[in-house]
Amino acid sequence: MNINGDEVTRDIEPRTLLVHHIRDNLGLTGTHWGCDTSNCGTCVVWVDEEPVKSCTTLAAMAGGHDVRTVEGMETDGVLDTVQEGFIQCHGLQCGFCTPGMMMTARALLDRNPDPTEAEIREAISGQICRCTGYSTIVRSIQWAAKKEQETPVEVSAS
Amino acid sequence: MTITEPGVEENANAVPTPDNNLNDQKPTGFGRMLRKEDPRLVRGLGQFCDDVELPGMLHLAILRSPMAHARIVSIDKTAAEAHPKVKAVITGADLAAQNLAWMPTLSNDVQAVLATDKVRFQHQEVAFVVAEDRYSARDALELIDVEYEWIDPVIDVRKALDADAPIIRDDLEGKTNNHCFEWEAGDKDATDAVFADAAENGIIVTEDIVYPRVHPAPMETCGCVADVERVSGKLTLWSTTQAPHAHRTVYALVAGLPEHKIRIIAPDIGGGFGNKVPIYPGYVCAIVASLVIGKPVKWMEDRTENLVSTGFARDYIMRGEIAATKDGKIRAIRTNVLADHGAFNGTAAPVKYPAGFFGVFTGSYDIEAAHAHMDAVYTNKAPGGVAYACSFRITEAVYLIERMVDVLAYDLEMDPAELRLKNFIQPEQFPYMSKTGWLYDSGDYEPAMRKAMDMIGYDELRKEQADKRERGELMGIGIAFFTEAVGAGPRKDMDILGLGMADGCELRVHPTGKAVVRLSVKTQGQGHETTFAQIVAEEIGIPPEDIDVVHGDTDNTPFGLGTYGSRSTPVSGAAAALVARKVRDKAQIIASGMLEASVADIEYEAGTFRVKGDPEKSVTIQDIAMKAHGAGDLPEGLEGGLEAQICYNPENLTYPFGAYICVVDIDSGTAEVKVRRFVAVDDCGTQINPMIIEGQVHGGLTDGVGMALMEMISFDDEGNCLSGSLMDYLIPTAMEVPDWETGHTVTPSPHHPIGAKGIGESATVGSPPAVVNAVVDALKPYGIRHADMPLTPSRVWETMQGNHTPPI
């Protein structure tokens, strides 16, 4: 698979879950393991730009696809605006659900650059945060949306 | 020292945008400051327990009992041992041979590490496997053959003390029933006398109230990596613990390891909420495994294991009674409680407080008398009791009193806000000694209540409600006013397993004026690395960015009891302020030498020491730091260096309070409850970082909505836990909660060095009664005076049909 732009090849057991493959075999521990039942969403990563729950995805299913994790959000040392928004608006406390929340938020803003509060809440409704009570997460995503509208993003040729 | 005036509004919670900058611009001290933790966490570079990877590390998995109560007839582990990737299979009998099968709980009970004689709750630990990888360890569990002999379980707590109930704790010598402990508070005779008088001349209201079993369910489950170094015998344990120092001492007592050969590291913790205070069998198993095999061993629970076996919360069945005058003056409060402690008393409360701080059930009201009686019992359920941000059972106490006040308002046909305002302890009565012996340090309740009513538009909402009731629509307004007792606690009467509940703090200022502060408490998301830097900055004027906060590592921090019960700011925060003042005092002496003035003539402000009357003559804390470590003479008798250490023993708890108002709408066709608005006005004394305080409140409010409407750990008659996944144990998502509205008043604590009180659990304590009161208020047209949590659509529907039953 391609992970955060790097091609990796591994021999794995067929039953290996994507979350364990990313964490244990590839050493990218920003993606977390939280519930096994697709309820908590701390394991959300992108497969071909689609947010998926990696605790209920077999690693083999991601073979040949592009996987992006929280470690792939920062570009050349510059934080993604979503990451910046979470810092500015206190969108995280313990930080355990945060990578999954941010991956979903990034996917939302890529599809809908100016979401309403209701649209943001619906987008993250498959994920659980025990610390923040969600208001500051909503504000973080709104912060990022506003920032991106004010600062046109350069689209690279690639 | 900055102490704001009581009742003064500061730092209103505004929403950050890319175009404003709400962060405090002053170089040091209190105010909105972005968190120092965040840059690593948003990059996915936090290090949580399961992220720890050591060379040669093995994986441990635990076999759990399928039955709630059964004798272990035999265990055959030969097939599991034959698995090619398995390194060890250990049973209770193996541990018993090393005298390690049982361990003390934090309440001076004992708990089985691995069951030897029988299992006492479903999912109790029976054996463990250590294997080369986590999948193989799980595979091998399937190969262990255990034969059980069924024993009837005790699941209905109301039947636990029946004469014919099976005895759960036959491991305890002479135990002939399932009684765990009895507890009493207040003055029974005085209380009964007031009730007798009220029966003649006033009103008595009585209600049976259940606070069901719930679970903190932090996003990160519990786990550890144990690494015993072969030659030195030193154990390093990376562990999901809120109390690393207390755990170290307990491990020394359990495993017989010398305490200096144990290092506990609590890395980043993915939420705790009290779930990570107890010592669980899994930790002990991993230590034993590493000792036996000589390699690092990792144990991480899955979600089911976390929900079914680790520290639950609540499980109180309460009868509440209020005696009052007919015009609504509360005179006395009486309660009788049946507490379900599960199979082992695993409560993590100060030893002399087996019911935690439930004794503050008299709430925020000035009354004549109060009395509480409690029986705690064993049942065939998982152990625990004090968790989920409960402030040592204050959740239950506040729920009881705030529900009962609404019951009284219902019978008196009084407005519940008016009834509360009529009964508040008045500001001039502080410090106030409650009728159950709690000394409330400071409070000014009416401004907080009025502010919450103003923010939500209370009078308009009541008008809207009246209109809607005429149209048959269900809308409810619920109020809760709470007072908490947090910051355990004075060592004269508070300890856990003999360890006084004090906290140490060490501050070193380096030659260049940068500093490191070392704490005995440990963040699980509260933001200690930021808040504690701000506390020190406020005291000695070094910018928070220049102060490194070290915590969660017993080899590198002073002893103290850890983070739970909202105690970090009240206890450790006080320690940080006082240690900084100690350093500042020394700095002032050095400054006097540098400025050639007497110490008494030096004045300090924001990191600069000046000669009184000659402001041009000054040195900064950074100048002094270099001087303290540099060449040249220091004032006579002064050692070099600029550092200090203290151990802070609080003289009292702190008593934060708050006024919460919730508005709900109920769909009369589906009985679904929608929380429309929620206003929380909190008073935690002096505010260090209002952004972090607001975050703490938001999280607790969400927990409260969860408990009130969704969450419950339930069991069937055979003791099968029915809430073993997040599909069955429902936690609020962003869809179930409103956009939170917060405000605050500031009433400093008189005995805390910076006037701060705890805030971590206020909202978890205060919000459940506000939500339930709102739902019951909405159902008033149905003649409903009380309904028990969780108020799921089906339970609300049954209540509307007149078929309300307690959840247990």
Side-chain angles (χ1 to χ4, degrees):
Chain A
M1 66 174 68
N2 182 299
I3 183 141
N4 299 328
D6 295 331
E7 287 295 332
V8 295
T9 305
R10 292 281 192 285
D11 288 327
I12 55 168
E13 280 192 69
R15 62 176 171 171
T16 305
L17 296 173
L18 182 57
V19 65
H20 289 144
H21 181 60
I22 290 170
R23 291 177 50 79
D24 297 347
N25 298 340
L26 304 180
L28 296 170
T29 56
T31 302
H32 298 138
W33 175 47
C35 75
D36 302 311
T37 51
S38 288
N39 290 88
C40 83
T42 187
C43 65
V44 167
V45 299
W46 288 7
V47 176
D48 296 337
E49 304 195 352
E50 194 67 42
V52 301
K53 286 172 175 169
S54 61
C55 79
T56 39
T57 304
L58 292 170
M61 293 160 68
H65 295 270
D66 292 333
V67 176
R68 191 177 176 204
T69 69
V70 64
E71 288 90 346
M73 288 188 87
E74 193 180 359
T75 313
D76 300 331
V78 179
L79 290 180
D80 189 279
T81 41
V82 168
Q83 292 172 304
E84 205 182 330
F86 272 68
I87 292 177
Q88 292 292 333
C89 299
H90 193 29
L92 68 152
Q93 291 182 29
C94 79
F96 199 78
C97 76
T98 313
M101 285 285 181
M102 293 191 306
M103 293 308 290
T104 301
R106 182 69 265 157
L108 170 69
L109 295 184
D110 286 350
R111 291 156 177 76
N112 179 358
D114 188 20
T116 64
E117 181 190 335
E119 286 167 339
I120 292 172
R121 284 182 181 271
E122 189 176 350
I124 61 170
S125 66
Q127 287 164 258
I128 293 172
C129 170
R130 274 307 236 179
C131 296
T132 66
Y134 305 107
S135 281
T136 55
I137 294 179
V138 172
R139 291 177 197 168
S140 302
I141 298 168
Q142 288 170 329
W143 191 98
K146 190 150 195 281
K147 178 89 171 177
E148 285 173 10
Q149 282 162 25
E150 290 173 2
T151 322
V153 182
E154 273 185 40
V155 181
S156 66
S158 66
Chain B
M1 182 164 68
T2 301
I3 287 195
T4 39
E5 289 301 310
V8 173
E9 170 73 357
E10 280 189 337
N11 301 313
N13 294 315
V15 176
T17 72
D19 309 322
N20 65 14
N21 186 354
L22 301 175
N23 301 331
D24 216 293
Q25 296 305 300
K26 62 181 178 175
T28 63
F30 302 159
R32 189 184 201 277
M33 175 184 153
L34 299 184
R35 298 200 323 164
K36 298 172 73 156
E37 292 90 340
D38 292 354
R40 71 168 183 273
L41 293 171
V42 299
R43 289 174 168 87
L45 296 177
Q47 194 187 41
F48 297 88
C49 248
D50 199 24
D51 303 342
V52 175
E53 183 76 32
L54 300 177
M57 189 176 77
L58 302 172
H59 293 261
L60 185 149
I62 294 175
L63 181 71
R64 294 173 182 276
S65 165
M67 297 181 193
H69 202 190
R71 195 156 301 285
I72 296 174
V73 178
S74 64
I75 302 179
D76 182 352
K77 58 181 185 178
T78 47
E81 285 174 329
H83 187 290
K85 291 191 173 176
V86 165
K87 299 295 179 189
V89 183
I90 306 283
T91 66
D94 298 328
L95 290 186
Q98 307 292 324
N99 201 23
L100 288 170
W102 293 82
M103 63 177 185
T105 70
L106 297 180
S107 288
N108 282 327
D109 193 358
V110 291
Q111 173 175 1
V113 177
L114 295 177
T116 50
D117 49 345
K118 64 178 188 177
V119 291
R120 292 174 171 84
F121 67 93
Q122 191 195 32
H123 301 300
Q124 186 180 337
E125 298 80 1
V126 173
F128 69 78
V129 167
V130 183
E132 288 175 16
D133 62 84
R134 59 173 107 216
Y135 287 15
S136 298
R138 296 268 166 164
D139 288 345
L141 294 183
E142 305 286 327
L143 302 174
I144 302 174
D145 188 14
V146 185
E147 186 183 343
Y148 296 97
E149 183 182 288
W150 170 268
I151 304 171
D152 285 337
V154 179
I155 302 304
D156 184 346
V157 62
R158 293 179 180 84
K159 294 179 180 166
L161 296 177
D162 287 358
D164 60 348
I167 310 300
I168 299 166
R169 296 302 303 279
D170 46 2
D171 58 296
L172 300 173
E173 204 176 324
K175 195 78 186 152
T176 56
N177 59 29
N178 293 318
H179 197 253
C180 182
F181 66 82
E182 186 179 16
W183 171 85
E184 243 182 309
D187 186 330
K188 182 172 193 310
D189 292 343
T191 307
D192 289 349
V194 176
F195 271 84
D197 186 54
E200 299 280 325
N201 305 308
I203 179 172
I204 293 173
V205 290
T206 305
E207 192 62 73
D208 288 320
I209 293 175
V210 175
Y211 207 137
R213 178 177 284 230
V214 290
H215 197 280
M219 295 315 301
E220 178 204 33
T221 58
C222 299
C224 67
V225 177
D227 185 18
V228 180
E229 212 274 316
R230 194 170 62 86
V231 177
S232 69
K234 181 153 184 168
L235 163 69
T236 303
L237 186 75
W238 287 263
S239 174
T240 51
T241 173
Q242 301 176 216
H245 288 279
H247 277 202
R248 185 186 64 192
T249 304
V250 176
Y251 290 128
L253 297 171
V254 175
L257 294 169
E259 199 167 0
H260 67 296
K261 298 280 190 187
I262 304 174
R263 178 186 184 186
I264 310 292
I265 299 174
D268 284 318
I269 304 285
F273 317 108
N275 189 236
K276 292 167 180 168
V277 176
I279 289 180
Y280 296 119
Y283 301 143
V284 179
C285 292
I287 294 169
V288 170
S290 183
L291 268 169
V292 170
I293 302 169
K295 288 199 169 176
V297 174
K298 177 186 279 186
W299 166 67
M300 280 308 298
E301 294 174 333
D302 61 25
R303 176 56 57 189
T304 298
E305 293 179 288
N306 179 253
L307 284 167
V308 299
S309 74
T310 64
F312 73 93
R314 327 293 190 252
D315 225 342
Y316 269 22
I317 295 179
M318 305 177 275
R319 168 158 293 185
E321 292 179 283
I322 289 182
T325 62
K326 285 175 181 162
D327 63 351
K329 180 77 188 79
I330 299 172
R331 297 185 59 202
I333 303 161
R334 197 159 64 177
T335 184
N336 197 30
V337 181
L338 180 61
D340 186 342
H341 277 241
F344 307 101
N345 188 8
T347 294
V351 169
K352 289 178 189 162
Y353 296 83
F357 299 167
F358 185 76
V360 299
F361 68 92
T362 56
S364 315
Y365 311 110
D366 183 27
I367 58 171
E368 296 170 40
H371 180 251
H373 172 264
M374 178 185 297
D375 280 308
V377 299
Y378 292 116
T379 62
N380 288 114
K381 300 172 196 167
V386 166
Y388 207 169
C390 73
S391 299
F392 297 122
R393 303 280 194 191
I394 295 177
T395 34
E396 291 92 321
V398 165
Y399 183 64
L400 174 75
I401 180 66
E402 289 306 292
R403 194 73 275 288
M404 287 308 299
V405 169
D406 261 37
V407 167
L408 179 64
Y410 182 97
D411 277 18
L412 290 173
E413 295 183 1
M414 265 181 87
D415 181 275
E418 185 192 337
L419 180 57
R420 286 175 171 84
L421 286 163
K422 191 183 174 94
N423 286 284
F424 280 150
I425 300 163
Q426 296 301 305
E428 63 276 11
Q429 291 178 276
F430 290 92
Y432 176 85
M433 179 61 80
S434 84
K435 291 295 181 284
T436 45
W438 298 79
L439 188 66
Y440 291 23
D441 62 344
S442 64
D444 192 359
Y445 296 162
E446 183 168 339
M449 186 71 183
R450 297 274 182 210
K451 184 168 186 176
M453 292 168 73
D454 287 348
M455 282 175 67
I456 207 152
Y458 187 74
D459 295 338
E460 295 76 36
L461 282 171
R462 285 289 177 204
K463 285 188 198 114
E464 180 193 342
Q465 183 185 40
D467 292 343
K468 287 198 162 159
R469 278 188 178 157
E470 282 192 12
R471 297 199 299 270
E473 294 174 42
L474 302 178
M475 165 190 168
I477 305 156
I479 299 170
F481 195 98
F482 67 89
T483 299
E484 275 219 273
V486 300
R491 62 196 307 165
K492 66 178 184 292
D493 62 355
M494 289 187 190
D495 70 273
I496 289 183
L497 290 183
L499 299 172
M501 300 187 76
D503 275 287
C505 192
E506 180 194 308
L507 174 62
R508 290 185 200 167
V509 182
H510 304 313
T512 56
K514 316 293 184 189
V516 57
V517 59
R518 299 172 189 277
L519 315 177
S520 56
V521 292
K522 169 65 201 170
T523 185
Q524 311 116 43
Q526 297 93 336
H528 289 16
E529 290 164 38
T530 310
T531 299
F532 282 80
Q534 290 184 272
I535 293 173
V536 172
E538 183 78 14
E539 297 294 338
I540 60 172
I542 296 173
E545 296 77 18
D546 290 351
I547 301 169
D548 195 21
V549 177
V550 174
H551 62 154
D553 179 348
T554 56
D555 268 9
N556 288 306
T557 55
F559 186 86
L561 274 228
T563 293
Y564 45 86
S566 299
R567 65 187 300 280
S568 289
T569 297
V571 188
S572 189
L578 292 179
V579 80
R581 286 178 197 173
K582 215 168 163 180
V583 167
R584 193 175 72 201
D585 288 345
K586 181 172 180 179
Q588 187 155 341
I589 297 170
I590 298 171
S592 79
M594 294 169 76
L595 297 169
E596 297 176 337
S598 72
V599 175
D601 285 339
I602 304 291
E603 59 186 9
Y604 167 83
E605 191 193 356
T608 301
F609 295 79
R610 288 191 179 82
V611 179
K612 282 180 194 164
D614 190 359
E616 296 300 307
K617 287 186 73 176
S618 69
V619 288
T620 65
I621 185 74
Q622 289 82 4
D623 300 332
I624 296 167
M626 186 55 84
K627 179 71 180 171
H629 293 90
D633 289 336
L634 293 171
E636 200 176 334
L638 208 62
E639 288 179 0
L642 193 56
E643 55 197 55
Q645 179 164 359
I646 68 158
C647 179
Y648 177 76
N649 174 36
E651 67 174 74
N652 189 11
L653 303 173
T654 66
Y655 290 75
F657 57 90
Y660 289 1
I661 305 181
C662 174
V663 183
V664 302
D665 298 298
I666 301 179
D667 185 320
S668 59
T670 64
E672 185 183 6
V673 177
K674 183 79 189 165
V675 178
R676 187 205 308 177
R677 287 183 67 193
F678 199 113
V679 164
V681 173
D682 274 280
D683 191 320
C684 60
T686 305
Q687 301 207 340
I688 299 161
N689 186 329
M691 178 189 84
I692 285 177
I693 289 169
E694 185 195 31
Q696 293 289 292
V697 172
H698 283 193
L701 296 174
T702 306
D703 293 343
V705 167
M707 285 174 243
L709 303 181
M710 304 163 71
E711 300 178 29
M712 178 173 165
I713 298 283
S714 54
F715 297 86
D716 70 11
D717 293 343
E718 295 184 345
N720 295 304
C721 182
L722 305 177
S723 314
S725 79
L726 295 181
M727 290 188 291
D728 307 297
Y729 186 75
L730 300 182
I731 290 172
T733 71
M735 302 300 279
E736 283 81 38
V737 293
D739 189 30
W740 305 111
E741 300 168 67
T742 59
H744 63 270
T745 59
V746 176
T747 311
S749 168
H751 64 84
H752 189 280
I754 58 173
K757 302 180 177 184
I759 186 66
E761 300 166 317
S762 287
T764 323
V765 163
S767 55
V771 179
V772 174
N773 286 346
V775 173
V776 173
D777 183 54
L779 299 178
K780 200 172 182 181
Y782 292 83
I784 302 302
R785 193 178 78 158
H786 174 68
D788 283 317
M789 302 181 276
L791 291 163
T792 57
S794 65
R795 291 180 51 78
V796 171
W797 178 258
E798 285 164 6
T799 303
M800 289 162 66
Q801 310 307 311
N803 297 326
H804 181 75
T805 51
I808 51 172

